[in-house]
Amino acid sequence: MTDNLSKEQRRKNMQSIKSRSKLEEKVTKALWKKGIRFRKNVKTLLGKPDIAIKKYKVVIFIDSCFWHACEYHGNMPKSNLEYWEQKLNRNKERDHKINEHYKNIHWNLLRLWEHEFKQDFDTAVNKIAAFIQNAKK
């Protein structure tokens, strides 16, 4: 199926997509209030983790149910199906490679799904805080 937008319209549409979600901002504010200090979206680390603490070798990713193809809440767009299947499969493969990279260099990696925060925000934030505290030991 062909794109129904012009190249210029598609470019503007794609440029308006932010690299940080509102959910990530809400999570990082909650962690900051708990006294946890970290860096966001560190470009020098593989995968540009949403939250990183190099001192304790901690990386945390908050995965969107759509972009990371959640088996419970991810949905496949009905148009341009071939493109989206390839795109979402590449995302899952990239996530797997990133997980293996951090595992191989002995870093502490935590991945949380967007729906975990929607189900119980405080529990998910506390899970991150506990993960970080455990990594400090």
Side-chain angles (χ1 to χ4, degrees):
M1 179 172 198
T2 60
D3 197 351
N4 59 1
L5 298 177
S6 71
K7 284 190 175 188
E8 182 62 23
Q9 289 171 322
R10 176 62 60 204
R11 185 180 72 77
K12 286 187 177 198
N13 187 9
M14 296 306 284
Q15 283 180 330
S16 69
I17 298 171
K18 304 296 180 209
S19 66
R20 283 186 248 171
S21 71
K22 290 180 182 176
L23 174 61
E24 290 172 24
E25 291 298 322
K26 190 175 173 185
V27 170
T28 55
K29 283 181 182 179
L31 290 171
W32 200 262
K33 283 182 180 177
K34 288 182 173 284
I36 299 171
R37 300 299 178 246
F38 51 85
R39 295 285 177 248
K40 296 187 291 187
N41 305 100
V42 180
K43 293 177 184 178
T44 58
L45 294 174
L46 184 66
K48 205 166 98 173
D50 299 313
I51 298 168
I53 306 173
K54 289 182 180 181
K55 180 178 180 179
Y56 303 118
K57 297 183 177 183
V58 168
V59 289
I60 300 166
F61 294 89
I62 301 170
D63 293 340
S64 157
C65 288
F66 174 75
W67 289 109
H68 297 270
C70 171
E71 61 186 68
Y72 304 112
H73 304 103
N75 59 7
M76 188 65 65
K78 294 186 179 20
S79 65
N80 206 1
L81 188 61
E82 185 179 327
Y83 167 80
W84 284 108
E85 283 178 343
Q86 289 177 359
K87 171 66 177 161
L88 297 177
N89 284 333
R90 281 193 317 264
N91 288 354
K92 290 193 315 189
E93 288 172 18
R94 185 186 65 236
D95 291 345
H96 179 73
K97 287 179 182 176
I98 289 169
N99 291 350
E100 288 299 312
H101 169 77
Y102 286 111
K103 181 180 170 186
N104 291 337
I105 62 170
H106 307 290
W107 275 51
N108 302 292
L109 173 119
L110 177 64
R111 281 191 181 273
L112 291 132
W113 286 102
E114 167 188 21
H115 67 254
E116 292 180 68
F117 292 95
K118 288 182 178 179
Q119 287 170 355
D120 189 344
F121 183 81
D122 292 333
T123 299
V125 169
N126 289 336
K127 183 177 180 179
I128 294 173
F131 179 78
I132 293 168
Q133 285 297 335
N134 191 43
K136 288 181 178 182
K137 296 176 184 176

